[in-house]
Amino acid sequence: MELKLITVSHPFIPRRDITLILQNNDLHLPAARFLVKEARNGGRHGSIGGRTSHLQRAKQLRELFYHLDAMRINWRDAIESDIRAIRNAMLHWDSNNNLDLKTKYSYQKIANDSMNTKLGLWFKFYRYMHEIGESYNMVLNTRLERVFEYRSQLLDHINQRNNEHKFIEVWDLKIPGSPKRKTHKVITRKEFDYFCKELQKIDITYVMIAKLMATTGLRIDAALNVTPHQFKNYFKYLNTGKNLESKIKFRYISKGDLSLECQIPIKMIADLQKEYLSRIHVERMKKYSDRSERGLSEYNSEAMWLLNNGREVNYSDIIKVFRDASKALGRTIKPITPHWLRHSFATWALIDYSKRENILLKGIIPDTRFIIHLSELLGHANESTTMKYVQTALTITELERFENQIGDTKTYDGPLMTYQLYKEDPGAQGIVKKEAVKEFGDMFDEKQFDAIKYAISRGMLVDDAY
C-alpha cells in the first residue's frame, strides 16, 4: 500500500491549508473527512486548529495506516489489541508493558508523551468514524480522567470548586506521561548567533525568520504569515525620540486567527529592511511573479518569505533547515526547533528584566512582576510556567557565565557544548573528533584520544549538566 500526503487549500477555512492522505493515488475519504473536521475545531476547547498542525495530524494518521498494513490489516478490521501491539513496539515494551531490552527494534524508542499524542489522534479518528456512520471492528475501551487545568494559587479556593467534576474520556491504551522537564528547551544568545551563521549558509530568508521569532517570541505560523506592508513606515518612530533598541507594538494573527499584539525592536525592522526587503525581496518577487505566471503557484502580492528560486517558504522548509543547521552545531538528537526560539526569547527577556529591575531569579513562588512581564511578552503566564522559565533562566545564566569565562581563549569556532549534549549526541562527539583530527593530523591516535579532556581544554565543552 502506498500512502502519500498532499497539501491543498482548506475547503471551508479561508487562507488555510490542509494535508490529506492519498492511498494508491486515490483520496482516502474517511481520513479526509476527519482531517477537515480537525482543522476546523481540533484546537484548544474546540477552536480552530493551528496553521501548521494539519501536517502533523496527517503524518500521525498515515503512520497508523502504515503500521496496520505491516500487520496485514486495515483500519476497519483492526481491534484494540492490534493498536496495543503497535504502541508497545514503539515504546520498546514487551507484552507485559515492561521495557524490552532483548528485542532489537528497527527504529528509535519514542517518549511516553509522543506516544500519547499519537494515541489521542487515533482515538479521535475512530470516535469520529463512529459519528459519521463508518463501519469498523474497533471497540474503544475508555476511562474517565480528571482534567488538571491551571489553577492560580491566589484563587485556588475558587478553582477547586469549579474543577471538581471536570473529567474527559480517554483511551485505556493511554500511558503515564513522560517525566516533566524542570526547564524549557532553549539556547544561549551566543549559540543563537552560531545557529544564524549556519542558516545564512543556506539562505538569508531563514536567518530573518529566526531573528524575527527570537526578538518577538512569535510562533512559527505567525512569523510565516507576516507581510512586507507591516514593516513599512516604522522609521517614523525614530523621529519621536526612540532609538533602534526601543520596542514598538506589532500586530499579528495568532494560530486561532485572532489578532494579537507583541513588541518588536525597531532594530529588527531596520535589519529586515536593510538585509532583506530593500533588495533581496524585490529581486525574488520578480521570480515569484514569473512562477505564478507559469502556473506554479498562486500569486500573493504580500508574499514575504521567498527563496532564491522565487518559491514561498513553508513550514516543512523551516523544520528541515533548522534540523540541518542544528546538525552542523552538533545537535542531531535534539535539534533546535522554531518553538525553542520562543522559549529562548522569553528566557532571555526574563534574564534582562531581572537585571534591569534588580529582582533575584529565585524562590519557590516566582516574583509577581515576573508573571506580569512574561504575560505581556507571551500573552499568557502563571506561577508554574513562570517558575519553569525562572529555572531555565538560572541554567542559561550559568552557561553564559562559562561562555564569558572561556571568551577569546577558546580555539574552537563554534557554540559551547554541555557535557549532557556531548554525552547523548553522536553529532557533538563527531565535531570534537573532527577538530582533533584537524589539529593533530597524522599524529592523531584515536585509541589514546581523551575526547572529554580535549574538548574542555579547547573551549568546546563545559563539564556541567545542562
Side-chain angles (χ1 to χ4, degrees):
M1 177 175 63
E2 184 182 26
L3 295 170
K4 295 180 180 178
L5 300 181
I6 180 173
T7 300
V8 297
S9 297
H10 195 283
F12 307 118
I13 308 175
R15 303 183 308 280
R16 285 296 185 100
D17 290 336
I18 183 169
T19 301
L20 303 173
I21 300 174
L22 298 179
Q23 181 178 346
N24 300 327
N25 290 323
D26 291 326
L27 183 65
H28 193 295
L29 286 175
R33 293 190 180 101
F34 170 71
L35 293 169
V36 168
K37 171 256 182 186
E38 279 294 290
R40 281 194 292 184
N41 50 26
R44 243 179 232 181
H45 309 300
S47 63
I48 187 172
R51 290 181 180 273
T52 57
S53 58
H54 59 88
L55 178 61
Q56 190 64 18
R57 289 193 184 103
K59 285 182 176 180
Q60 290 173 347
L61 191 55
R62 179 180 65 169
E63 185 178 4
L64 171 64
F65 297 157
Y66 267 136
H67 285 310
L68 292 173
D69 185 59
M71 300 166 70
R72 305 200 175 194
I73 52 179
N74 59 44
W75 71 269
R76 293 185 190 276
D77 299 329
I79 58 177
E80 198 170 73
S81 60
D82 298 321
I83 308 299
R84 182 180 289 103
I86 293 170
R87 180 200 71 180
N88 287 8
M90 298 180 78
L91 292 165
H92 293 193
W93 285 2
D94 60 21
S95 57
N96 295 317
N97 298 349
N98 297 315
L99 187 62
D100 184 0
L101 300 176
K102 297 180 181 179
T103 307
K104 290 186 178 180
Y105 295 90
S106 59
Y107 46 84
Q108 187 177 347
K109 177 182 178 295
I110 70 170
N112 287 21
D113 283 350
S114 299
M115 189 70 251
N116 280 335
T117 299
K118 297 176 192 293
L119 289 171
L121 184 87
W122 300 346
F123 175 78
K124 290 169 74 174
F125 170 73
Y126 276 106
R127 269 284 181 259
Y128 189 65
M129 292 301 100
H130 175 74
E131 288 180 24
I132 63 177
E134 290 281 353
S135 61
Y136 57 86
N137 294 335
M138 181 75 66
V139 176
L140 299 168
N141 291 297
T142 64
R143 64 181 185 270
L144 291 179
E145 194 171 278
R146 183 172 177 176
V147 180
F148 290 95
E149 295 181 334
Y150 158 67
R151 299 185 313 190
S152 170
Q153 293 176 353
L154 301 176
L155 302 175
D156 199 41
H157 60 292
I158 297 176
N159 286 313
Q160 279 181 346
R161 290 202 304 269
N162 291 342
N163 285 351
E164 266 181 12
H165 303 294
K166 288 189 177 180
F167 294 88
I168 59 171
E169 183 185 28
V170 299
W171 208 354
D172 277 347
L173 295 182
K174 182 182 176 184
I175 58 177
S178 305
K180 298 302 179 185
R181 287 177 54 89
K182 294 181 180 179
T183 59
H184 287 293
K185 294 179 179 178
V186 302
I187 55 178
T188 65
R189 281 175 256 220
K190 283 191 177 181
E191 186 169 7
F192 178 69
D193 289 340
Y194 286 111
F195 182 63
C196 286
K197 288 179 182 178
E198 295 301 328
L199 293 178
Q200 180 80 38
K201 296 175 184 177
I202 304 171
D203 195 287
I204 189 173
T205 302
Y206 298 120
V207 180
M208 293 292 102
I209 294 173
K211 286 185 176 180
L212 179 63
M213 288 190 290
T215 55
T216 60
L218 287 179
R219 292 183 174 89
I220 182 58
D221 57 325
L224 287 177
N225 282 280
V226 299
T227 65
H229 181 75
Q230 290 177 275
F231 299 98
K232 292 181 179 178
N233 301 322
Y234 278 100
F235 290 108
K236 63 184 179 182
Y237 289 98
L238 294 176
N239 297 324
T240 63
K242 294 182 181 294
N243 57 42
L244 288 176
E245 300 304 322
S246 300
K247 295 181 179 181
I248 56 177
K249 293 179 179 179
F250 183 81
R251 298 203 68 82
Y252 67 95
I253 303 299
S254 72
K255 61 180 181 180
D257 266 352
L258 299 173
S259 179
L260 298 179
E261 199 173 75
C262 68
Q263 293 185 333
I264 184 171
I266 296 178
K267 185 179 185 306
M268 180 67 237
I269 301 170
D271 290 345
L272 264 172
Q273 289 284 357
K274 179 182 177 182
E275 298 179 28
Y276 180 70
L277 289 173
S278 62
R279 181 178 59 83
I280 293 175
H281 180 263
V282 174
E283 294 172 354
R284 294 183 179 185
M285 275 298 287
K286 295 177 182 177
K287 297 178 181 179
Y288 172 69
S289 179
D290 291 340
R291 285 177 60 89
S292 300
E293 289 179 2
R294 298 199 306 271
L296 297 176
S297 62
E298 185 178 345
Y299 185 75
N300 173 18
S301 61
E302 287 290 340
M304 176 73 179
W305 306 116
L306 302 172
L307 299 174
N308 193 40
N309 61 1
R311 183 174 67 79
E312 279 194 271
V313 173
N314 57 42
Y315 177 77
S316 297
D317 294 329
I318 296 292
I319 297 301
K320 180 183 182 303
V321 166
F322 273 39
R323 187 180 296 117
D324 291 343
S326 299
K327 185 177 180 180
L329 299 181
R331 289 185 175 273
T332 54
I333 293 180
K334 295 180 181 179
I336 298 166
T337 70
H339 210 68
W340 281 40
L341 299 187
R342 179 172 168 85
H343 288 318
S344 297
F345 158 77
T347 304
W348 301 342
L350 196 63
I351 293 171
D352 292 342
Y353 183 74
S354 70
K355 292 177 180 177
R356 188 169 65 248
E357 300 297 325
N358 197 25
I359 310 173
L360 293 178
L361 288 163
K362 68 174 186 177
I364 299 175
I365 299 177
D367 192 295
T368 306
R369 287 169 290 182
F370 285 151
I371 302 174
I372 296 172
H373 186 60
L374 284 180
S375 180
E376 292 173 347
L377 295 173
L378 302 178
H380 64 82
N382 56 46
E383 290 99 325
S384 58
T385 57
T386 303
M387 198 64 235
K388 193 170 181 179
Y389 275 116
V390 169
Q391 292 297 326
T392 307
L394 288 169
T395 303
I396 288 298
T397 300
E398 182 66 8
L399 193 53
E400 287 181 342
R401 185 179 70 81
F402 280 118
E403 288 177 333
N404 294 330
Q405 183 178 316
I406 293 172
D408 297 331
T409 64
K410 73 173 190 173
T411 59
Y412 160 64
D413 183 22
L416 189 65
M417 300 180 189
T418 62
Y419 178 73
Q420 183 176 338
L421 172 64
Y422 176 84
K423 181 178 67 174
E424 296 177 351
D425 201 323
Q429 296 163 18
I431 287 179
V432 172
K433 181 180 177 181
K434 183 179 178 181
E435 286 292 317
V437 170
K438 185 167 62 175
E439 179 178 345
F440 297 113
D442 295 337
M443 296 177 63
F444 177 77
D445 186 349
E446 189 166 4
K447 292 181 179 179
Q448 298 184 21
F449 179 56
D450 188 327
I452 299 295
K453 287 184 178 179
Y454 174 82
I456 293 175
S457 67
R458 298 305 188 272
M460 302 177 71
L461 176 73
V462 290
D463 190 5
D464 183 66
Y466 181 19

